[in-house]
Amino acid sequence: MGRLYAKIALFLQAIIIFFGLFFYITLHPETTKLIAQKALKDNGVLFSRIEGCLFCGFTLYDASYQKIFNAKKIDIKYSIFSLISANPTIKEINIVEPNIYPMHLKKQKSKEQNKSDILLPPILVKKLNIKNCTINLPKNEKVAFDLYINKLLFKNRDFEIKSFKTDIKTAYASGSFKGKLNKQTITANGYGTISEKYKSLAKSTVKNLPEKLPLKLKVDMHHLKASTKIDKTIFLKDANLSIQNLTLDFNYLFKENYFTAKSSYTLKHPIITANLDQNILFTPSLAYSIKTEGKITKSLHPLPSKDFQIDLAGDLNTITSELYMGPYRLSIFSTDYKQFALQASSKPHIPKYIKNMPAVFLNQTITLEANATATLKPKPLLKGIVTLDGNYSKTKSFFEIDPDMVLVKSTINPKVGNEGVWKNIPKSMIGEIKSFLYLTKEKRILNVSTLKNFLTLFEERGNISGWANIGNLSLSAKGKLKKDGTTDLDFITHIESIQKLMEDFNVKSNLTIDAEVNSKFNLVLTDHMQLTYQIKVPWYIVQPDSQTIYYGLESKLQGKIDGNIISIDNYTVGFNERKFIQKRSSTFHFDENLSLFIDNLAILDKADLKGYFNIKQSRAKLSIKGVQVHYNGPEGNITTNINVNASISKKEVNIEGDVEVVDATITFKPIKEYTVNDEDIIIIQDIKEPSKTKKSINIHIYSKKPLLYKIPMVKAYFIPDITIWKESKKSTELLGMVKVTDGSINVTEKHFNIEPSEIYFYGSHPINPYLDMHILYELNFNKFHIYVSHTLSSPVFLFSSEPPMSQNDIMSYILFGEPAGEAFKQNGGTESTIGTMLLGTGLKNAIGSATGIRFDTLNIINRPEGGFGIEVGKNINKRLRIIYRNDTISSFIIQYKATKSIRIDVDVRDTGQGINVLYVKER
């Protein structure tokens, strides 16, 4: 038993001595210094002093390792028991102000590196804090960072980090990241911020850059991956570009030593918008490959395709690029980055992508071939040849471009002279077309010429001049380009004959139109267009058919165009010896749909035309309104209230409204239009194709008080109430009536009073109203009544008197102022015949005096049913005589004297016609 206690005592004594020695060694500072000398300094780790002990940790001051690393302070905290346990653990390591010099790593031999490799058991460092660390790079470049690690596990030659946080700062940018390290792979999320220096530089060209750029990182033994996404819109100021929805993925491969990148973004410009996807590859030898696929979502200019592709590859010496868009292909190649070969081509295609292309080009297939050389050094130069081949023509252009000059010479040769674009051009104007364009900093010249036409524009130091002759159009221009970018040009044009100019351009019209036109224009271009114009038309003629001619003298128009607003300051229109002078201004404007809006078009003194006209749809709505609108001309002096509306389309025209004649003095003399209604008589005239447009008219013309009609010998007061009426596919008609309240007729010193009468319009075509006229003639207390009835073309005259008299006496009083005398009475009842001859002679003289028409004969004929008829005749020449007779029916007799004995009479009546061949026996 005693021996057992002795053994226990010895064991306890040994334990006490062991722990005593353990604590003495681990707690004694000299032990720490000794171990540090052997473990650190002998392996190249230097320090100025060491504090602490092996039991709870130590601190190194001014520690360094050769020229690679130094730190102001390294503090290691641990428990000796946790360090020597089965799972060695270090509580905390703090490294203050370390400096790392990577460039000195290259000087270390691989053998020395192998000696320093120490296989350690798995060690867990709960916290590792690195503060104010600086990595010193060549050319005085530095990277500063703070690193805070939570649970760093060293396992064999591998290690894991549960989580870490780091803040990095360079001269270019700074960033903050959080992440972890697992299975030799680092994953981290954070953001980067551009330094103030480069941010200020970027702001001069880039606007709206994000303050913090989100980044995702992934690093393993094989590659480094980084990705970011920017939702904000970035603007490139000078290029007027913006980038939206940018996504960028970066991948660097360590072993292969190159990097790839993928980007996706939307590129916007005021002219074009496109979505782009790019794949990029770069190697350390600066070999590269870039592949871009794009889709255009918006473009102000026509493009052959919405999709395009760019393949770009090269290295330090060579570059090759291919651009594909629809039928077009562009190739670029260089072996020195100084001189480039360019080749462009297209497959045969119809350029349907060009909007609003004239129909003549829609059936034309074109191909393009171009070869050019671009030189960058010593002086940039681009020159080459472009050939455009089509169905109807071939164009070949030579161009040369350098920083000081642009030169383009082109030739267009027609292939077929009567097809395609040449179809509507007169043969005399078809031929080779040559153009010349020369541009320098101080001079610009443009010339286009054909066999009979030319155009030349010349600009030098801001002064512009030019000349052109195109058929019957001559033009001259003069102006200035100002330093503020304003263009001010004056144009003078002269068209000797519109008809000849239309013939020059093979323009055909159903109307015969001709005019002389002199024009002056002033064009000012700033941020918008302003055009001042003055147009004079010394004369014009419009002939819609062979029987109608309109003409005018000294017409003019003056106004300006400002952007999409058109104004007319004043205008004068000559029309058939009339002149309409308008001093009130008028305005129009266009919208984006090419609709012309008539804000107001001044007509006469107080009328205005308003409405719009859609050019694309050929549709219009117009209205003309005015109160107390006055017109004074050869037709009379008229004041009206107008309210007329019109709706016009390709298929239909509707016009309706009211015209109230407030006051009028009419002096118009209607021109007699002779018509023949016999179906057997054919009149050769202009044949017009029937219009397919449905036209309807309903215009009511009326007056509330009598109006005056006054011409030589006639003065009458009347009240109109008529309607101009037209139904679809029918002729225009007049409906209604005109009341004649009173008036007078003065013929050969005789005064006739017009009693209340009516004229009825019933819609006949041609216009042939019914008459209900009552005319009174008073002489020597006798009243003579003349009643005119039936129609205007076939009037019926009835006579009565107070007191009652015979027809001969009535006519004698009307013509001679006295009854038929006894001198004309003869046996056999010839009184009527002699009286009739006498009356006919008097009536012939009266009509000749009133109308200026001199008849050879005029006879009064008694009608069997009562009343009178007339017969008038006139010799046209020695052989031809025309006679008009109106007794029971109306008839024309054309007498032709073939010989002295033979005469041919052609008798044309309402009921038919006949031909008589008469033999006249000489006496």
Side-chain angles (χ1 to χ4, degrees), residues 457-488:
L457 290 175
F458 181 82
E459 185 265 324
E460 185 173 10
R461 296 179 181 178
N463 297 311
I464 301 174
S465 58
W467 310 268
N469 268 1
I470 305 172
N472 276 268
L473 169 66
S474 62
L475 178 147
S476 63
K478 193 175 183 180
K480 195 172 186 65
L481 290 176
K482 299 181 180 179
K483 293 182 179 180
D484 61 358
T486 302
T487 302
D488 193 334

Side-chain angles (χ1 to χ4, degrees), residues 216-228 248-263 278-284:
K216 291 184 178 180
L217 301 176
K218 186 176 181 180
V219 184
D220 58 21
M221 298 299 293
H222 304 289
H223 48 64
L224 181 152
K225 292 183 178 180
S227 64
T228 186
L248 178 63
D249 295 320
F250 175 88
N251 185 17
Y252 180 73
L253 291 84
F254 298 122
K255 184 178 180 180
E256 291 81 359
N257 196 21
Y258 69 84
F259 77 83
T260 63
K262 290 184 179 180
S263 64
Q278 290 182 311
N279 290 290
I280 305 169
L281 184 148
F282 269 95
T283 68

Side-chain angles (χ1 to χ4, degrees), residues 45-217:
V45 179
L46 303 178
F47 51 88
S48 61
R49 75 177 192 273
I50 184 170
E51 294 179 355
C53 60
L54 295 178
F55 183 80
C56 59
F58 56 90
T59 302
L60 297 175
Y61 292 93
D62 301 321
S64 64
Y65 176 71
Q66 298 183 6
K67 294 182 179 181
I68 298 173
F69 172 85
N70 66 69
K72 184 177 181 181
K73 178 182 176 182
I74 300 176
D75 184 19
I76 302 174
K77 297 179 181 179
Y78 57 86
S79 170
I80 191 66
F81 298 108
S82 61
L83 187 62
I84 62 176
S85 65
N87 297 309
T89 302
I90 296 175
K91 183 180 180 181
E92 186 175 355
I93 299 176
N94 294 298
I95 303 175
V96 180
E97 296 184 11
N99 288 280
I100 302 172
Y101 300 89
M103 69 283 287
H104 296 303
L105 286 171
K106 300 178 181 179
K107 299 178 181 180
Q108 305 300 316
K109 295 182 180 180
S110 59
K111 291 182 180 180
E112 293 178 354
Q113 293 174 348
N114 291 334
K115 288 180 180 178
S116 63
D117 290 340
I118 301 174
L119 294 176
L120 299 174
I123 299 175
L124 174 64
V125 180
K126 288 185 177 182
K127 289 184 178 181
L128 173 60
N129 301 318
I130 301 175
K131 298 179 181 180
N132 298 328
C133 179
T134 302
I135 301 176
N136 298 274
L137 301 173
K139 296 183 181 180
N140 204 28
E141 296 284 345
K142 294 184 178 183
V143 177
F145 68 90
D146 295 334
L147 178 61
Y148 305 94
I149 296 176
N150 181 30
K151 293 185 180 180
L152 170 62
L153 177 62
F154 290 94
K155 192 175 183 181
N156 298 326
R157 294 184 179 181
D158 193 9
F159 58 92
E160 293 181 0
I161 298 174
K162 183 177 182 181
S163 65
F164 69 85
K165 178 183 177 182
T166 180
D167 297 318
I168 305 172
K169 185 176 182 180
T170 70
Y172 310 101
S174 60
S176 180
F177 298 93
K178 292 181 180 180
K180 63 180 181 179
L181 188 150
N182 186 24
K183 297 181 180 179
Q184 298 183 345
T185 301
I186 298 174
T187 56
N189 295 325
Y191 63 87
T193 303
I194 300 175
S195 67
E196 291 299 325
K197 175 183 177 181
Y198 290 97
K199 188 183 293 183
S200 61
L201 291 175
K203 283 182 178 179
S204 62
T205 56
V206 181
K207 182 181 177 182
N208 205 35
L209 273 175
E211 290 294 329
K212 295 182 178 181
L213 186 67
L215 293 171
K216 291 184 178 180
L217 301 176

Side-chain angles (χ1 to χ4, degrees), residues 424-443:
N424 297 319
I425 298 178
K427 292 182 179 179
S428 60
M429 297 183 69
I430 297 176
E432 185 180 71
I433 301 174
K434 293 183 177 181
S435 67
F436 174 85
L437 177 66
Y438 178 75
L439 305 175
T440 66
K441 293 180 180 180
E442 296 183 349
K443 186 183 297 184

Side-chain angles (χ1 to χ4, degrees), residues 800-806 810:
S800 66
S801 64
E802 297 178 15
M805 298 182 187
S806 67
I810 293 173

Side-chain angles (χ1 to χ4, degrees), residues 442-586:
E442 296 183 349
K443 186 183 297 184
R444 299 178 185 181
I445 301 174
L446 171 65
N447 176 263
V448 180
S449 62
T450 65
L451 185 63
K452 295 185 177 181
N453 307 287
F454 74 88
L455 168 66
T456 300
L457 290 175
F458 181 82
E459 185 265 324
E460 185 173 10
R461 296 179 181 178
N463 297 311
I464 301 174
S465 58
W467 310 268
N469 268 1
I470 305 172
N472 276 268
L473 169 66
S474 62
L475 178 147
S476 63
K478 193 175 183 180
K480 195 172 186 65
L481 290 176
K482 299 181 180 179
K483 293 182 179 180
D484 61 358
T486 302
T487 302
D488 193 334
L489 295 174
D490 291 317
F491 295 92
I492 298 176
T493 65
H494 175 68
I495 301 174
E496 184 177 349
S497 170
I498 288 285
Q499 186 176 17
K500 291 181 179 179
L501 184 64
M502 293 169 64
E503 291 174 358
D504 290 337
F505 290 93
N506 205 20
V507 177
K508 298 180 180 179
S509 174
N510 294 327
L511 303 177
T512 299
I513 302 174
D514 201 2
E516 180 183 358
V517 182
N518 297 314
S519 304
K520 291 182 179 180
F521 301 94
N522 175 253
L523 176 65
V524 178
L525 296 175
T526 54
D527 54 347
H528 69 292
M529 182 194 77
Q530 187 179 79
L531 177 70
T532 304
Y533 58 88
Q534 183 179 349
I535 302 171
K536 292 183 179 180
V537 182
W539 59 268
Y540 74 87
I541 294 175
V542 178
Q543 186 174 3
D545 53 55
S546 60
Q547 300 177 1
T548 309
I549 294 179
Y550 303 109
Y551 67 92
L553 300 175
E554 301 302 330
S555 299
K556 65 179 182 179
L557 180 69
Q558 186 171 333
K560 70 177 180 180
I561 300 173
D562 193 346
N564 65 334
I565 298 175
I566 305 170
S567 62
I568 300 175
D569 296 335
N570 58 75
Y571 66 84
T572 300
V573 177
F575 180 76
N576 288 14
E577 298 184 359
R578 300 164 181 81
K579 187 154 289 189
F580 298 91
I581 300 175
Q582 184 55 258
K583 296 182 179 180
R584 294 190 297 133
S585 62
S586 305

Side-chain angles (χ1 to χ4, degrees), residues 21 36 45 90 97 181 291 328 349 407 467 573 804 888 915:
L21 290 172
V45 179
I90 296 175
E97 296 184 11
L181 188 150
K291 184 174 183 179
Y328 291 93
H349 69 287
L407 173 65
W467 310 268
V573 177
T888 56
I915 300 177

